[in-house]
Amino acid sequence: MPPAIETVDLVKEYGELRALQELSLTVEEGEFFGLLGPNGAGKTTFINTLVGLVRKTGGEARVFGYDVEDDYQQARDAIGVAPQEFNVDRFFPIREVLEHKAGYHGVPADEAADRADEVLKRVGIYDKRNERFDWLSGGMKRRLLLARALVTDPDLLILDEPTAGVDVQLRHDLWELVTELNEEGTTILLTTHYIEEAERLCDRVAIMNEGRKVTVATPDELKGRGTDTIAVGLES
Ligand code: ATP
């Protein structure tokens, strides 16, 4: 089985700015992998490259062996992503938003409705199913982003700072849910600014800074190394 994510010398330039600099990373199937780094390290750019939102400038990127550009649809169908920003359709009840998403990725209409209900229950906002995105609180919006990522039953779940700015209760609910999902076999890539979060959840962690990989280690190895390497990734 190919790795869930494999990048080799991945480069992304925005004009003069090199947001990803020869980034080579492998995330094995079934892993819970953390991507840690300060603002501007390139974490979101890395995710956007995997899901086809930005075109890479150089190097290779594959998801379960599928090239993210040449085999876009196969790679994209394997991924559920909960982005940082709230980019959800505001004009439909959230249950319909989820049905549309499932339908777009090939889930038959009758199954899509059941699947939407299932994930809304799983993230704890089933009672809000007829409301629109704008009417939800910030915490519920985070839950909805996760539900949308799960509605296609992805093999790879990507979470971009899912706990930034959320209250303690929701943070713990999210931790519990993503741990369960990983135990059920879903590969997870999570970006975070919080080293404690990465240590608590992840099998391995990559620390990034200025588009480069600083290190890849298990949480125990990171603790053993003291603060210097970690500080590089967390100086902001
Ligand atoms: P944060 O923790 O703040 O979300 P990040 O690690 O996700 O940061 P990115 O958002 O990937 O970092 O940004 C990496 C670099 O690329 C930054 O210097 C950013 O300003 C730049 N950048 C990102 N998107 C664009 C864009 N569309 N055009 C130009 N520059 C961009």
Side-chain angles (χ1 to χ4, degrees), residues 200-223:
R200 181 184 183 121
L201 297 173
C202 300
D203 300 315
R204 288 191 304 149
V205 178
I207 295 183
M208 288 180 67
N209 196 29
E210 297 182 348
R212 291 184 194 281
K213 181 176 71 181
V214 178
T215 192
V216 178
T218 65
D220 281 347
E221 286 166 349
L222 282 183
K223 280 183 202 160

PDB file of all heavy atoms in Angstrom, residues 200-223:
ATOM      1  N   ARG A 200      -0.069  15.124  22.420  1.00  0.00           N
ATOM      2  CA  ARG A 200      -1.169  14.328  22.947  1.00  0.00           C
ATOM      3  C   ARG A 200      -1.767  13.402  21.884  1.00  0.00           C
ATOM      4  O   ARG A 200      -2.134  12.268  22.160  1.00  0.00           O
ATOM      5  CB  ARG A 200      -2.240  15.301  23.455  1.00  0.00           C
ATOM      6  CG  ARG A 200      -3.422  14.644  24.046  1.00  0.00           C
ATOM      7  CD  ARG A 200      -4.433  15.714  24.417  1.00  0.00           C
ATOM      8  NE  ARG A 200      -5.552  15.074  25.063  1.00  0.00           N
ATOM      9  CZ  ARG A 200      -5.952  15.359  26.273  1.00  0.00           C
ATOM     10  NH1 ARG A 200      -5.355  16.257  26.989  1.00  0.00           N
ATOM     11  NH2 ARG A 200      -6.994  14.723  26.789  1.00  0.00           N
ATOM     12  N   LEU A 201      -1.850  13.922  20.636  1.00  0.00           N
ATOM     13  CA  LEU A 201      -2.609  13.200  19.619  1.00  0.00           C
ATOM     14  C   LEU A 201      -1.764  12.392  18.636  1.00  0.00           C
ATOM     15  O   LEU A 201      -2.204  11.345  18.156  1.00  0.00           O
ATOM     16  CB  LEU A 201      -3.439  14.191  18.795  1.00  0.00           C
ATOM     17  CG  LEU A 201      -4.521  14.985  19.523  1.00  0.00           C
ATOM     18  CD1 LEU A 201      -5.099  16.031  18.582  1.00  0.00           C
ATOM     19  CD2 LEU A 201      -5.626  14.052  20.026  1.00  0.00           C
ATOM     20  N   CYS A 202      -0.564  12.902  18.321  1.00  0.00           N
ATOM     21  CA  CYS A 202       0.095  12.431  17.107  1.00  0.00           C
ATOM     22  C   CYS A 202       1.082  11.286  17.329  1.00  0.00           C
ATOM     23  O   CYS A 202       1.737  11.211  18.365  1.00  0.00           O
ATOM     24  CB  CYS A 202       0.837  13.594  16.447  1.00  0.00           C
ATOM     25  SG  CYS A 202      -0.270  14.933  15.986  1.00  0.00           S
ATOM     26  N   ASP A 203       1.186  10.414  16.322  1.00  0.00           N
ATOM     27  CA  ASP A 203       2.223   9.373  16.319  1.00  0.00           C
ATOM     28  C   ASP A 203       3.570  10.002  15.992  1.00  0.00           C
ATOM     29  O   ASP A 203       4.587   9.655  16.572  1.00  0.00           O
ATOM     30  CB  ASP A 203       1.917   8.318  15.249  1.00  0.00           C
ATOM     31  CG  ASP A 203       0.587   7.632  15.486  1.00  0.00           C
ATOM     32  OD1 ASP A 203       0.324   7.268  16.639  1.00  0.00           O
ATOM     33  OD2 ASP A 203      -0.188   7.482  14.512  1.00  0.00           O
ATOM     34  N   ARG A 204       3.563  10.916  14.992  1.00  0.00           N
ATOM     35  CA  ARG A 204       4.786  11.628  14.620  1.00  0.00           C
ATOM     36  C   ARG A 204       4.429  13.073  14.297  1.00  0.00           C
ATOM     37  O   ARG A 204       3.290  13.375  13.913  1.00  0.00           O
ATOM     38  CB  ARG A 204       5.439  10.993  13.374  1.00  0.00           C
ATOM     39  CG  ARG A 204       6.079   9.654  13.647  1.00  0.00           C
ATOM     40  CD  ARG A 204       6.933   9.216  12.471  1.00  0.00           C
ATOM     41  NE  ARG A 204       6.175   9.174  11.232  1.00  0.00           N
ATOM     42  CZ  ARG A 204       6.702   9.411  10.032  1.00  0.00           C
ATOM     43  NH1 ARG A 204       7.978   9.683   9.907  1.00  0.00           N
ATOM     44  NH2 ARG A 204       5.940   9.345   8.945  1.00  0.00           N
ATOM     45  N   VAL A 205       5.437  13.921  14.430  1.00  0.00           N
ATOM     46  CA  VAL A 205       5.227  15.344  14.216  1.00  0.00           C
ATOM     47  C   VAL A 205       6.333  15.867  13.310  1.00  0.00           C
ATOM     48  O   VAL A 205       7.507  15.546  13.513  1.00  0.00           O
ATOM     49  CB  VAL A 205       5.315  16.099  15.564  1.00  0.00           C
ATOM     50  CG1 VAL A 205       5.155  17.597  15.352  1.00  0.00           C
ATOM     51  CG2 VAL A 205       4.278  15.580  16.549  1.00  0.00           C
ATOM     52  N   ALA A 206       5.961  16.676  12.314  1.00  0.00           N
ATOM     53  CA  ALA A 206       6.966  17.397  11.528  1.00  0.00           C
ATOM     54  C   ALA A 206       6.920  18.847  11.975  1.00  0.00           C
ATOM     55  O   ALA A 206       5.837  19.425  12.111  1.00  0.00           O
ATOM     56  CB  ALA A 206       6.665  17.306  10.040  1.00  0.00           C
ATOM     57  N   ILE A 207       8.086  19.415  12.224  1.00  0.00           N
ATOM     58  CA  ILE A 207       8.141  20.839  12.528  1.00  0.00           C
ATOM     59  C   ILE A 207       8.630  21.554  11.279  1.00  0.00           C
ATOM     60  O   ILE A 207       9.633  21.164  10.675  1.00  0.00           O
ATOM     61  CB  ILE A 207       9.072  21.120  13.725  1.00  0.00           C
ATOM     62  CG1 ILE A 207       8.475  20.474  14.978  1.00  0.00           C
ATOM     63  CG2 ILE A 207       9.244  22.621  13.925  1.00  0.00           C
ATOM     64  CD1 ILE A 207       9.247  20.726  16.241  1.00  0.00           C
ATOM     65  N   MET A 208       7.877  22.584  10.881  1.00  0.00           N
ATOM     66  CA  MET A 208       8.226  23.373   9.692  1.00  0.00           C
ATOM     67  C   MET A 208       8.579  24.790  10.080  1.00  0.00           C
ATOM     68  O   MET A 208       8.054  25.318  11.061  1.00  0.00           O
ATOM     69  CB  MET A 208       7.024  23.464   8.739  1.00  0.00           C
ATOM     70  CG  MET A 208       6.698  22.196   8.009  1.00  0.00           C
ATOM     71  SD  MET A 208       5.263  22.468   6.947  1.00  0.00           S
ATOM     72  CE  MET A 208       5.931  23.615   5.728  1.00  0.00           C
ATOM     73  N   ASN A 209       9.436  25.389   9.300  1.00  0.00           N
ATOM     74  CA  ASN A 209       9.730  26.810   9.463  1.00  0.00           C
ATOM     75  C   ASN A 209      10.134  27.367   8.108  1.00  0.00           C
ATOM     76  O   ASN A 209      10.952  26.763   7.409  1.00  0.00           O
ATOM     77  CB  ASN A 209      10.851  27.006  10.490  1.00  0.00           C
ATOM     78  CG  ASN A 209      10.922  28.448  10.973  1.00  0.00           C
ATOM     79  OD1 ASN A 209       9.900  29.147  11.000  1.00  0.00           O
ATOM     80  ND2 ASN A 209      12.096  28.899  11.343  1.00  0.00           N
ATOM     81  N   GLU A 210       9.552  28.480   7.731  1.00  0.00           N
ATOM     82  CA  GLU A 210       9.850  29.140   6.455  1.00  0.00           C
ATOM     83  C   GLU A 210       9.862  28.167   5.283  1.00  0.00           C
ATOM     84  O   GLU A 210      10.769  28.180   4.452  1.00  0.00           O
ATOM     85  CB  GLU A 210      11.188  29.897   6.564  1.00  0.00           C
ATOM     86  CG  GLU A 210      11.109  31.007   7.599  1.00  0.00           C
ATOM     87  CD  GLU A 210      12.401  31.818   7.717  1.00  0.00           C
ATOM     88  OE1 GLU A 210      13.421  31.394   7.169  1.00  0.00           O
ATOM     89  OE2 GLU A 210      12.353  32.858   8.379  1.00  0.00           O
ATOM     90  N   GLY A 211       8.848  27.316   5.228  1.00  0.00           N
ATOM     91  CA  GLY A 211       8.675  26.423   4.086  1.00  0.00           C
ATOM     92  C   GLY A 211       9.547  25.187   4.104  1.00  0.00           C
ATOM     93  O   GLY A 211       9.466  24.357   3.199  1.00  0.00           O
ATOM     94  N   ARG A 212      10.382  25.056   5.137  1.00  0.00           N
ATOM     95  CA  ARG A 212      11.283  23.896   5.206  1.00  0.00           C
ATOM     96  C   ARG A 212      10.889  22.987   6.347  1.00  0.00           C
ATOM     97  O   ARG A 212      10.336  23.435   7.355  1.00  0.00           O
ATOM     98  CB  ARG A 212      12.722  24.341   5.481  1.00  0.00           C
ATOM     99  CG  ARG A 212      13.372  25.082   4.363  1.00  0.00           C
ATOM    100  CD  ARG A 212      14.827  25.384   4.721  1.00  0.00           C
ATOM    101  NE  ARG A 212      15.388  26.359   3.825  1.00  0.00           N
ATOM    102  CZ  ARG A 212      15.823  26.072   2.598  1.00  0.00           C
ATOM    103  NH1 ARG A 212      15.776  24.845   2.143  1.00  0.00           N
ATOM    104  NH2 ARG A 212      16.307  27.023   1.821  1.00  0.00           N
ATOM    105  N   LYS A 213      11.269  21.711   6.176  1.00  0.00           N
ATOM    106  CA  LYS A 213      11.087  20.747   7.259  1.00  0.00           C
ATOM    107  C   LYS A 213      12.272  20.891   8.205  1.00  0.00           C
ATOM    108  O   LYS A 213      13.419  20.740   7.783  1.00  0.00           O
ATOM    109  CB  LYS A 213      11.045  19.342   6.646  1.00  0.00           C
ATOM    110  CG  LYS A 213      10.842  18.245   7.616  1.00  0.00           C
ATOM    111  CD  LYS A 213      10.720  16.927   6.883  1.00  0.00           C
ATOM    112  CE  LYS A 213      12.041  16.469   6.285  1.00  0.00           C
ATOM    113  NZ  LYS A 213      11.946  15.210   5.552  1.00  0.00           N
ATOM    114  N   VAL A 214      11.996  21.191   9.459  1.00  0.00           N
ATOM    115  CA  VAL A 214      13.072  21.320  10.449  1.00  0.00           C
ATOM    116  C   VAL A 214      13.410  19.951  11.021  1.00  0.00           C
ATOM    117  O   VAL A 214      14.570  19.588  11.169  1.00  0.00           O
ATOM    118  CB  VAL A 214      12.659  22.289  11.586  1.00  0.00           C
ATOM    119  CG1 VAL A 214      13.752  22.382  12.647  1.00  0.00           C
ATOM    120  CG2 VAL A 214      12.335  23.663  11.024  1.00  0.00           C
ATOM    121  N   THR A 215      12.375  19.186  11.333  1.00  0.00           N
ATOM    122  CA  THR A 215      12.591  17.847  11.884  1.00  0.00           C
ATOM    123  C   THR A 215      11.302  17.031  11.797  1.00  0.00           C
ATOM    124  O   THR A 215      10.215  17.600  11.671  1.00  0.00           O
ATOM    125  CB  THR A 215      13.056  17.927  13.364  1.00  0.00           C
ATOM    126  OG1 THR A 215      13.512  16.651  13.780  1.00  0.00           O
ATOM    127  CG2 THR A 215      11.947  18.366  14.287  1.00  0.00           C
ATOM    128  N   VAL A 216      11.452  15.711  11.835  1.00  0.00           N
ATOM    129  CA  VAL A 216      10.295  14.825  12.001  1.00  0.00           C
ATOM    130  C   VAL A 216      10.633  13.901  13.156  1.00  0.00           C
ATOM    131  O   VAL A 216      11.723  13.321  13.177  1.00  0.00           O
ATOM    132  CB  VAL A 216      10.017  13.973  10.744  1.00  0.00           C
ATOM    133  CG1 VAL A 216       8.836  13.037  10.994  1.00  0.00           C
ATOM    134  CG2 VAL A 216       9.742  14.846   9.542  1.00  0.00           C
ATOM    135  N   ALA A 217       9.723  13.790  14.113  1.00  0.00           N
ATOM    136  CA  ALA A 217      10.043  13.002  15.306  1.00  0.00           C
ATOM    137  C   ALA A 217       8.766  12.539  15.983  1.00  0.00           C
ATOM    138  O   ALA A 217       7.677  13.058  15.711  1.00  0.00           O
ATOM    139  CB  ALA A 217      10.848  13.865  16.277  1.00  0.00           C
ATOM    140  N   THR A 218       8.903  11.560  16.857  1.00  0.00           N
ATOM    141  CA  THR A 218       7.765  11.190  17.705  1.00  0.00           C
ATOM    142  C   THR A 218       7.689  12.225  18.827  1.00  0.00           C
ATOM    143  O   THR A 218       8.693  12.886  19.142  1.00  0.00           O
ATOM    144  CB  THR A 218       7.961   9.797  18.328  1.00  0.00           C
ATOM    145  OG1 THR A 218       9.091   9.860  19.210  1.00  0.00           O
ATOM    146  CG2 THR A 218       8.193   8.733  17.276  1.00  0.00           C
ATOM    147  N   PRO A 219       6.530  12.355  19.454  1.00  0.00           N
ATOM    148  CA  PRO A 219       6.432  13.296  20.572  1.00  0.00           C
ATOM    149  C   PRO A 219       7.469  13.019  21.653  1.00  0.00           C
ATOM    150  O   PRO A 219       8.070  13.960  22.183  1.00  0.00           O
ATOM    151  CB  PRO A 219       5.011  13.070  21.095  1.00  0.00           C
ATOM    152  CG  PRO A 219       4.251  12.632  19.895  1.00  0.00           C
ATOM    153  CD  PRO A 219       5.212  11.801  19.097  1.00  0.00           C
ATOM    154  N   ASP A 220       7.745  11.751  21.948  1.00  0.00           N
ATOM    155  CA  ASP A 220       8.742  11.442  22.981  1.00  0.00           C
ATOM    156  C   ASP A 220      10.129  11.916  22.573  1.00  0.00           C
ATOM    157  O   ASP A 220      10.878  12.451  23.394  1.00  0.00           O
ATOM    158  CB  ASP A 220       8.795   9.931  23.254  1.00  0.00           C
ATOM    159  CG  ASP A 220       7.649   9.491  24.141  1.00  0.00           C
ATOM    160  OD1 ASP A 220       6.983  10.381  24.724  1.00  0.00           O
ATOM    161  OD2 ASP A 220       7.409   8.272  24.236  1.00  0.00           O
ATOM    162  N   GLU A 221      10.462  11.726  21.301  1.00  0.00           N
ATOM    163  CA  GLU A 221      11.772  12.192  20.823  1.00  0.00           C
ATOM    164  C   GLU A 221      11.881  13.718  20.943  1.00  0.00           C
ATOM    165  O   GLU A 221      12.918  14.241  21.330  1.00  0.00           O
ATOM    166  CB  GLU A 221      11.984  11.781  19.361  1.00  0.00           C
ATOM    167  CG  GLU A 221      12.271  10.301  19.196  1.00  0.00           C
ATOM    168  CD  GLU A 221      12.159   9.820  17.748  1.00  0.00           C
ATOM    169  OE1 GLU A 221      11.655  10.587  16.889  1.00  0.00           O
ATOM    170  OE2 GLU A 221      12.552   8.682  17.491  1.00  0.00           O
ATOM    171  N   LEU A 222      10.799  14.407  20.613  1.00  0.00           N
ATOM    172  CA  LEU A 222      10.815  15.866  20.723  1.00  0.00           C
ATOM    173  C   LEU A 222      11.065  16.304  22.154  1.00  0.00           C
ATOM    174  O   LEU A 222      11.876  17.192  22.420  1.00  0.00           O
ATOM    175  CB  LEU A 222       9.479  16.462  20.260  1.00  0.00           C
ATOM    176  CG  LEU A 222       9.222  16.577  18.770  1.00  0.00           C
ATOM    177  CD1 LEU A 222       7.887  17.267  18.537  1.00  0.00           C
ATOM    178  CD2 LEU A 222      10.330  17.340  18.068  1.00  0.00           C
ATOM    179  N   LYS A 223      10.372  15.636  23.081  1.00  0.00           N
ATOM    180  CA  LYS A 223      10.546  15.990  24.504  1.00  0.00           C
ATOM    181  C   LYS A 223      12.000  15.763  24.923  1.00  0.00           C
ATOM    182  O   LYS A 223      12.594  16.566  25.622  1.00  0.00           O
ATOM    183  CB  LYS A 223       9.635  15.128  25.378  1.00  0.00           C
ATOM    184  CG  LYS A 223       8.210  15.612  25.415  1.00  0.00           C
ATOM    185  CD  LYS A 223       7.394  14.730  26.370  1.00  0.00           C
ATOM    186  CE  LYS A 223       5.922  14.815  26.052  1.00  0.00           C
ATOM    187  NZ  LYS A 223       5.152  13.701  26.587  1.00  0.00           N
TER     188      LYS A 223
END
